[in-house]
Amino acid sequence: MAYRLGVDVGGTFTDLLLFDQGSGSFWRHKTPSTPHDSSEGILNGVEAICGKAGITPADIEYFLHGTTVATNAVLEGKGARVGLIVTEGYRQVMQIARSFVPGGLAGWIVWPKPEPLAALEDTFEIKGRMSAQGQELRPIDDDDIRAQLEKLKAQGVEALTVSLMNAYLNGAHEQRVGELAAEILPDVPVSLSHVVLPEMQEYERTLTTVANAAVRPVVGRYVRNLRSKLRDAGMAGKLSLLRSDGGLMTSEKSEEHPVSLLMSGPAGGVTGAIWVGKNAGMKNILTLDVGGTSTDVALIENLEARRVRTTEVGHLAVRASALDVKTVGAGGGSIAYVPELTGALRVGPQSAGAVPGPVAYGKGGTLPTVTDANVVLGYLPEALLGGTFKLDREGSIRAVQTIADALKIDLYAAARGIIDIVNENMFGALRMISVQQGYDPRDFALMGFGGAGPIHVNAVARLMGSWPAVSPVSPGVLCALGDATTRMRTETARSFSTLASKTSADALTAVLTEMEAQIRRELEEEGVAAHEISVGFEVDIRYSGQAFEVPMEVTLAELRDKGLPALTERFDEEHHRLFTFNMDSEHEIVNLRAVALGRSLDLPAAPLPEGNGHPIEAKIRDHELYMDGRMQAAVIYDRAKLKAKDVIRGPAIVIEMDSTTLIEADCIATVDAVGNILITLA
């Protein structure tokens, strides 16, 4: 028997999903996260879920894990102290950065410039220089390099970055610095820029490599600790981590290249949504992943998630492929307040988090949150997590009453106001990834997941015009499902920087073929069988003189048969879709990329038994909730007892172990063959 275990560590809960690859049956479990050492929460969960399935950890063949360790290290400024070696004359590369100031017109007056991840006193220059063609202009000097490394050793740096001019064309000088660093600083991990990001633009290359170095010690400790604890618990299977771009990498690779993990957390939900879409026959999906603190949204077209070349975490923007996920500070724990200055209701981005949490959780929270508003309105019934978790309704009413008093309106209007505002915040994030990217949201279904997604998905779908609103099976642990069902992935890039008129399809094909061989080798070293590997290619194109490029997918066959003109024509179309205009300037080919993927798992979704369309067996009790300005009669159903083809008329609430789905008054919900709830306007 082959079992796969997906584990997603969130701020509040650690979610686990165990999949039996043979039968397609699965077990799920939620356990409180342990922020001081996440491996404790993970091991508690592994023990519990193995108990449920009646197996031992030794039966788990693949342990797949999405983590926010790297993200939090950057956000909280807990990265390592990084030493940086640069070419003579480039000591201030991190300080000069890019001349970009965020914020409005007066942003530059009040904007405190973020501290670079590598301090100026930890940056040292060395002699030697490569030309823009990758030939040696001036040689390096070993004694000079040793002297600089000794200074860094005296400073006590915990990680080292080497980023030399034009190293992306020829990494020989960086390689030598790395060899000497291994002698002088034997215990310090070294990141070389031509290995981490072999692309032009020295600031982006240096920043990405420094970010990689800064999170290496933190991620390394975490991964080694988790690996040894799992081995002690008897788990001999493979441990892989989810990359920001939705693929997997081995835990060993993640220790060397943790900059690829910065968006590992949200990527799980998106890959999970793709799996659900595949099984439910949906191709175009907008995702709405609502947790306790934040909401992540993404766009999936033809079962492919949109990817971007930049990962943004806080004020840091590094060059690493990631799924195009936008995050807003709107979640179940977001706090509602009325500022004295304006007297207008605001919600978030501050959150009550896991501790103390919403008032309803009875853990000492006192401030009114979105969850409390849902409890007051009757959208969240008093018992959660299968009845093991009782909500304090009285406490929620007291907290929301403070908002009603401040606004001089009644309790229910105040609670509904909180929900409307948080829904608008989610709507704003979804517009950013759809309308503002040239997509019509009415061509997409909206899938809500995470603990609080299904309770908001109906209302947000109405704002977007995206139907059906989908509540997938086990929405609370969908991220863990995504971790369990994704595939191995690795990529490599190379700068090409040539005008299209000065090169040929043959020249491109030659470089891409060479890159293909390299990344096939990499995946084989990570244990993927040669016949299971597929490779895709991307070419970054721009109009000559532009400062940014558009990535275009391409196949070697297309290049051979149709040549470059077909590619530049497709670029013109895409440029027009994104920016509504084209330019007369020449086309420039900037970077080439090859992406290798392992076999995708065709894990089936278990079908539900069919019903007669009346969900009477699933009915728990009658209920009252506040909607459309008045109290209305509603019904509460148990999701575990729903059958395929059941039809539920709103207003209604469907409860399950890890989430609650709200169906609004003028809507109707149908259960599909594999158990997803599809909500449409009646």
Side-chain angles (χ1 to χ4, degrees), residues 43 57-58 224-236:
L43 284 157
R224 285 190 296 273
N225 175 27
L226 179 62
R227 205 168 35 218
S228 68
K229 285 191 174 175
L230 286 169
R231 297 283 178 260
D232 295 347
M235 207 201 85

Side-chain angles (χ1 to χ4, degrees), residues 87-150:
T87 301
E88 217 170 356
Y90 286 88
R91 187 162 168 242
Q92 278 87 3
V93 62
M94 293 292 285
Q95 282 67 27
I96 295 170
R98 286 266 176 243
S99 58
F100 167 72
V101 177
L105 204 53
W108 53 274
I109 302 175
V110 292
W111 183 56
K113 193 171 172 183
E115 279 299 307
L117 288 172
L120 196 56
E121 66 262 25
D122 294 334
T123 307
F124 291 94
E125 301 181 350
I126 59 165
K127 299 186 175 80
R129 176 75 190 254
M130 289 288 178
S131 75
Q133 285 68 44
Q135 265 87 44
E136 185 174 81
L137 271 184
R138 289 196 294 278
I140 44 173
D141 171 357
D142 280 9
D143 295 336
D144 168 46
I145 296 172
R146 283 201 173 89
Q148 307 308 331
L149 288 170
E150 288 293 352

